[in-house]
Amino acid sequence: MSSKKLSCGRDFFAVPNLAVALENGGKCGFDFVSIPLVHPRYKRDFIFADGSHVRDTISEPLTRNDLVLPSGEWMSLVVGKISPWLNVDSYDENIRTNSEKALFEELMLSMHLNIPVVLVPLLSKNCVNLARCLLSHCGLIKSNQAFWIHVPLTDPKSTLECSDCDSEDTWDWWNKLRTFCDNERRLSLALEIGCAVPSSIVLKRWLGEPVRALVISTDLFIMNRKGFPVLKRCHQELLCHFFKLEVQFILTGASRTENGLQSYYQYLDHLYMTRSVPDKMGAFAKGYNDYLQNPLQPLMDNLDSHTYEVFEKDPVKYEKYEKAISCFLKDRDSSELHEIVIMVVGAGRGPLVQAALKAASKTKMHVKIYAVEKNPGAVVTLRNRQKDEWGSVVTVISCDMRDWKPLVKADLLVSELLGSFGDNELSPECLDGAQRFLKGDGVSIPFQYSSYLAPLSAPKLYSSIEECRERDKKHFLAHYETPYVVRLWNAYVISPPQICFSFNHPKKDINNNRYACLRFRNGEVAATIHGFAGYFDTMLYESVSLSILPEKETKDMISWFPIFFPLKKPIQVCSFANIEVHMWRCSSLKRVWYEWLVTEPERSDIHNAGGRSYWIGL
Amino acid sequence: MSSKKLSCGRDFFAVPNLAVALENGGKCGFDFVSIPLVHPRYKRDFIFADGSHVRDTISEPLTRNDLVLPSGEWMSLVVGKISPWLNVDSYDENIRTNSEKALFEELMLSMHLNIPVVLVPLLSKNCVNLARCLLSHCGLIKSNQAFWIHVPLTDPKSTLECSDCDSEDTWDWWNKLRTFCDNERRLSLALEIGCAVPSSIVLKRWLGEPVRALVISTDLFIMNRKGFPVLKRCHQELLCHFFKLEVQFILTGASRTENGLQSYYQYLDHLYMTRSVPDKMGAFAKGYNDYLQNPLQPLMDNLDSHTYEVFEKDPVKYEKYEKAISCFLKDRDSSELHEIVIMVVGAGRGPLVQAALKAASKTKMHVKIYAVEKNPGAVVTLRNRQKDEWGSVVTVISCDMRDWKPLVKADLLVSELLGSFGDNELSPECLDGAQRFLKGDGVSIPFQYSSYLAPLSAPKLYSSIEECRERDKKHFLAHYETPYVVRLWNAYVISPPQICFSFNHPKKDINNNRYACLRFRNGEVAATIHGFAGYFDTMLYESVSLSILPEKETKDMISWFPIFFPLKKPIQVCSFANIEVHMWRCSSLKRVWYEWLVTEPERSDIHNAGGRSYWIGL
């Protein structure tokens, strides 16, 4: 149960007295009102059909006086609605011209009143001029004013009985509008729930869009035996899916119960408060949802104490390592007489040393552990723990594993050098440097890891890339060809992940460059690709594994979020179309980087050519 | 006849002695040589099939000593060829990896030697990795090194007899490569002429590409009666088309005549020197081919004396105006007793005043001319000419036509306020301001004008937009959503122009905003749209007109080049596909601007939303 209550507004068709409306809404528990910006009676004509202008002759005020509310209330309690009669995309030039002038008048008014959210109806796929007007207006405003595009969740023409007959894909209306507007971040969605509930795939796609509000009519409610409004199960489930996006609600339509409008609000709030609670990962990661982070560079930069602390708290990862080491030790059990040499390469502050000691203790094996670490800050911790906790069984080596010259060879190398995309923190290069001191029959934990890619629709992430621009970067689109570590939340995986690159340790081939061409097939609904989600899995020992792949995620493991490889320009993909992506892992003497390219359904250009925008230092 | 001779190089498969080769080539008249960067015998393996590396064991030099030539000769006389055995897009990982290493080695060598041009063979449509390698390398070089992608003009599989059977569109190979490389300006074309001659449309499309050289084999020549090599008529015509792009030639293959290699060179040079000469416009405009210019802002900025001088030299425009004014005067002849009032609005330094005086003189009509001009610099000229040449028949008014309050009304308004896109220098707004002082039956010359648009493939223009970036512009892609005045030369009009906006004068409707949705149909070959070409035509009086439309261009008129509206991202269009573009003319109190958008075959975003990147000041 969350302690935060549902945010829900009350919609009005016309408001004779705004202050009274606000007061009544508040009494019923509503948090805000949505009202027409201009009274419906003020339908204005600027140009008559003969081309002459009439606007100047109107000296009546456009709408209510702004003095009816203190500005603080305009700024926090009011959602303004654009007049529904406007049709800026009419084929009739007079209607189009009048509508356009009226639209700009209403937008200017909303800006004058500092109304935080404007609700803009989108009634069809013909929306080039609406897009143009909105984008023009967005260029004018300095405030954080947002535009909620009011779109039906399913075509109103479709019904529960017949969801296919002649109905349009309303997602495509929205997709057109936002494409024309180049994913302008001020534009988001208010979805109107209708009788029909969309299919699972259509719903998933909507959940990848920036939905800020659901508009729900009192018509959709049925009365329970006590006369209180409730929703059908299918609508309840639908709402619950959107709770994860923390949407607000707008209740429209007249009350149909003696229990008053507050009973509708109470029911919605009840649904919200009794929604399922997030799991461990969810609770830990909530603040990171859709938050773009630059991937760590643990080889170039030394991690700080806090970062170590966060990762050491993973409740699962080190248990898995301990299990893997135990299995390894058991396999050696019968034949080995001498002590087993374990080298923990990249020991950090010692969690893997601890895991190895636990495994040795449980399996009652004699081990000698070398803890190799290049970060002098972490070595301080290691030496203290060696002295205070571990004793002579552990030797701390303050050295880069690629440079260390040990006197003995190891039976087991243990490392945790993997990033969100597996090899992206340069585990292959580090372990290549370390495998010199592994015995001929020595083993590496992990012994294998693979990266995965999946095409992703993530308009919210795409819009926020713009904020990651760094002025000093050489290439002006550098931030669009840089991968980001991010907990994917308001995003839609278009097709299941496929394996990209794999590495095994120890290995003969020291060429760590890779190339993969992956071919995905889109499902039954059209989508927009904003980039690719990257994941990894790894085999530690025998069948002991870790994974962040959605379908086989290691439960409760919090150490890794996925990685996101964006595209400079989103690509439209039709239903059942192929998606072909090429991914390279490249290297020079001092750097490793990825380059990527889409060749189907459309050709992109090569992203991050020669590592110009993003690289990992060796 | 041009005095500049043809630039032609001699191709060598292998060069035992480079200095001798250069000397022999020079003796035959050749300007440069094209040679393998690395001797063909140095086929190198870096990785064996088992994954082990062998490169380190090779201590032989890669190729000839750079000391064989002084660096000045390397930098001016040598085109370096990438080894033909390289296949960086092989499905075989070993071949791919070896080829990639060898390619980078050769590219580095070419950079070391400062070779100005590298010839890179493109042998199939599979070229993602070649594109990646070239783009990576382009990011490294500081010099002006260019890469000529060596592509057959037609698929070698096709022949004169059977040009369709199972052959590929080699343009698509190139189109893929350059798309992957985001139109990198260092990449251009060396087209290999084969037996087959492409169709007219395929040729036109090639002529829109950045072709720098033609590679022609001695095989293609036939011997005339005197034993000299000549080309078939179809090949002669083909070459002549490419002369307009000022291509260089590379002659490959062994001599097949006793007259020696020089006879091939002499024949090619003969063809070049006897090519058709450009017309007046061509001679005047040669330096402006494909040169992007910002459109004039004659309303905001005052034109300078030099600009007036250039435009006054137009040999045709003022004749047309004189003819139009004469026709007008003749129409008034019989009935008018009083003198006819002509107001020249925007008189500049007086060419239209002169034209009106000539027309009056020829038609023996009494006229009174007011020359209205807002540019004080031009008014100095007008007043001098009035005093010295014209006398009291002309009155000079130093005033903006939108502000002038005349005491009489005009029978005729004459203006020349049109830009390359017709209304783009704000003729509609200016004439709206001036039509106040036109009599009820008064006439405007011009009385009508229209703009036109055509989808355009213009990779060369697109690449040069990058150089038009202005650091202080608010939007980082501003230079991609700004129109440019440019003489279209190395460009391909994909579909004939269609009418966009029209204006009539005098007019009742003072709304000068416009919207047009144009739908084009691509022809039989695929193409890439880089933007839209804009043109205009105008009706001066009755049937007297001016036009810059390619099909009905006013001959010898030099005052206008077309305008180019770019797209931020080029769009691929299949054969016979629709192309839909939306164009708006928008205005505020102080500005006028255009916005544009493509919705088919792909959706672009809205260009220049709200006039953020380009506008014309009122």
Side-chain angles (χ1 to χ4, degrees), chain A residues 117-129:
Chain A
V117 173
V118 176
L119 211 55
V120 183
L122 178 60
L123 302 168
S124 89
K125 64 186 171 189
N126 296 325
C127 61
V128 285
N129 202 30

Side-chain angles (χ1 to χ4, degrees), chain A residues 96 128-129 131-132 135-136 172 175-176 179-180 182 469 476 584 586 595 597 602-603 605-606 609-610, chain B residues 128-129 131-132 135-136 172 175-176 179-180 182 469 476 515 584 586 595 597 602-603 605-606 609-610:
Chain A
R96 198 172 65 235
V128 285
N129 202 30
R132 193 186 65 79
L135 193 60
S136 287
D172 193 46
N175 187 45
K176 277 189 165 173
T179 303
F180 298 152
D182 196 20
R469 175 191 303 283
F476 69 105
W584 289 268
C586 311
E595 302 186 23
L597 168 71
E602 237 174 67
R603 299 171 194 164
D605 57 339
I606 291 159
Chain B
V128 286
N129 201 31
R132 193 186 64 79
L135 193 60
S136 288
D172 193 47
N175 187 45
K176 277 188 165 172
T179 303
F180 298 152
D182 195 20
R469 176 190 304 282
F476 69 106
Y515 164 66
W584 288 268
C586 311
E595 303 186 24
L597 168 71
E602 237 175 64
R603 299 171 194 163
D605 57 337
I606 292 159

Side-chain angles (χ1 to χ4, degrees), chain B residues 524-549:
Chain B
E524 68 204 67
V525 295
T528 303
I529 312 176
H530 296 92
F532 292 83
Y535 310 95
F536 82 99
D537 66 12
T538 178
M539 301 304 291
L540 296 178
Y541 187 78
E542 282 171 355
S543 66
V544 184
S545 64
L546 302 174
S547 173
I548 65 164
L549 275 166

Side-chain angles (χ1 to χ4, degrees), chain A residues 456-496:
Chain A
L456 189 76
S457 177
K460 190 176 170 190
L461 299 187
Y462 185 82
S463 298
S464 49
I465 291 174
E466 188 50 36
E467 290 149 40
C468 300
R469 175 191 303 283
E470 290 173 51
R471 292 270 159 208
D472 54 331
K473 281 272 186 176
K474 188 180 158 198
H475 194 270
F476 69 105
L477 288 175
H479 51 309
Y480 284 96
E481 46 177 42
T482 298
Y484 298 93
V485 167
V486 56
R487 184 164 200 231
L488 300 172
W489 196 249
N490 191 182
Y492 162 57
V493 175
I494 295 169
S495 180

Side-chain angles (χ1 to χ4, degrees), chain B residues 381-504:
Chain B
T381 316
L382 286 174
R383 290 206 198 280
N384 275 303
R385 293 188 77 178
Q386 190 272 327
K387 212 177 83 197
D388 301 341
E389 300 173 38
W390 302 330
S392 62
V393 68
V394 174
T395 304
V396 176
I397 308 289
S398 177
C399 187
D400 189 310
M401 73 182 85
R402 291 168 295 175
D403 304 326
W404 185 39
K405 293 187 180 62
L407 297 173
V408 294
K409 290 212 164 187
D411 297 286
L412 177 65
L413 275 185
V414 188
S415 64
E416 49 166 339
L417 304 168
L418 299 179
S420 300
F421 198 53
D423 59 85
N424 67 305
E425 295 184 6
L426 309 190
S427 178
E429 284 74 10
C430 291
L431 292 184
D432 282 353
Q435 73 178 24
R436 291 173 291 123
F437 37 86
L438 197 57
K439 287 180 186 164
D441 64 344
V443 167
S444 168
I445 288 180
F447 69 91
Q448 194 197 54
Y449 38 87
S450 300
S451 53
Y452 295 78
L453 278 181
L456 189 76
S457 177
K460 191 176 169 189
L461 298 187
Y462 185 81
S463 299
S464 48
I465 291 174
E466 187 51 35
E467 289 150 39
C468 299
R469 176 190 304 282
E470 292 175 50
R471 290 272 159 207
D472 54 330
K473 281 272 185 174
K474 188 180 158 199
H475 194 269
F476 69 106
L477 287 175
H479 51 310
Y480 284 97
E481 45 177 43
T482 298
Y484 298 93
V485 168
V486 57
R487 184 165 199 231
L488 300 172
W489 197 249
N490 191 182
Y492 163 57
V493 174
I494 295 168
S495 180
Q498 291 185 18
I499 196 162
C500 184
F501 305 141
S502 283
F503 293 86
N504 290 285

